[in-house]
Amino acid sequence: EAGVTQSPTHLIKTRGQQATLRCSPISGHTSVYWYQQALGLGLQFLLWYDEGEERNRGNFPPRFSGRQFPNYSSELNVNALELEDSALYLCASEAGALLETQYFGPGTRLLVL
Amino acid sequence: GEDVEQSLFLSVREGDSSVINCTYTDSSSTYLYWYKQEPGAGLQLLTYIFSNMDMKQDQRLTVLLNKKDKHLSLRIADTQTGDSAIYFCAEISYSGGGADGLTFGKGTHLIIQP
């Protein structure tokens, strides 16, 4: 069974640009979570989607947004990129909205120059 | 707010047991997790424990939970070079709006000495 996949693996942007990151959950999983892993800050919760709806978001500005498609895949959009947005962005999927077990993808490494 | 604390580094000899410790603050956590991150890779779920359990064993891994002290530990028996990685402790965090996702510690770097 395929795991969580993310694309692209690496992304290089310049300040002010927009970045779009994609995630495909494990087949049958309806919840998708996004996390940011920045140097020295550990992992921080960004967004949670379930059944196409945004269920919760972490302490990030509105320029971090996303959506979940009918096939449960998800996009994370980061507008007006800042240098501090350079990080590994991890997507995780879960079978339901019960916060039981999340399975992580390999991540997208975003570098903002 | 919720916080998860871990030591940043642990060095053990190959063949010895590794014990990685974690403390958390959210007493309402229902599940606690251990994830492993190898260099350049995403997170891999190692194991998890439900909050009404004290211990869970899975092959070389033993998880101990002291709910009173909010202390979680991961013991890796017979540590091998392939166990070199960063180990993250995580708990489910809640706020007034419901579940916030997982709160992670900063990770413990496990270094294996030959």
Side-chain angles (χ1 to χ4, degrees), chain B residues 41-71:
Chain B
L43 290 176
Q44 172 196 353
L45 176 66
L46 273 181
T47 187
Y48 62 95
I49 188 167
F50 190 53
S51 58
N52 69 353
M53 296 168 67
D54 297 324
M55 186 182 89
K56 181 178 179 181
Q57 187 146 7
D58 183 3
Q59 298 181 332
R60 291 192 298 125
L61 305 178
T62 304
V63 178
L64 294 177
L65 175 60
N66 181 330
K67 203 172 177 188
K68 174 174 163 289
D69 294 338
K70 295 182 189 152
H71 182 265

Side-chain angles (χ1 to χ4, degrees), chain A residues 35 37 40 43 45 48 56 88 90 99-106, chain B residues 31 33 35 37 41-43 45 48 88 92 99-102 104 106:
Chain A
Y35 295 87
Q37 186 180 20
L43 276 162
F45 166 68
W48 170 28
N56 219 334
L88 178 67
L90 291 166
L99 277 179
E100 292 188 359
T101 302
Q102 298 183 17
Y103 295 86
F104 284 79
Chain B
Y31 288 91
Y33 302 83
Y35 284 87
Q37 185 179 31
L43 290 176
L45 176 66
Y48 62 95
F88 290 89
I92 294 173
D100 288 344
L102 293 174
F104 289 83
K106 286 191 165 50

Side-chain angles (χ1 to χ4, degrees), chain A residues 47-92:
Chain A
L47 288 159
W48 170 28
Y49 291 96
D50 181 63
E51 297 283 358
E53 304 266 338
E54 182 181 302
R55 299 295 183 184
N56 219 334
R57 65 180 294 127
N59 190 22
F60 281 84
R63 58 192 186 80
F64 286 84
S65 65
R67 54 181 172 164
Q68 188 178 32
F69 299 98
N71 66 354
Y72 303 115
S73 66
S74 177
E75 256 180 22
L76 173 69
N77 295 294
V78 188
N79 294 318
L81 283 164
E82 299 178 3
L83 298 178
E84 310 81 78
D85 297 333
S86 294
L88 178 67
Y89 288 84
L90 291 166
C91 166

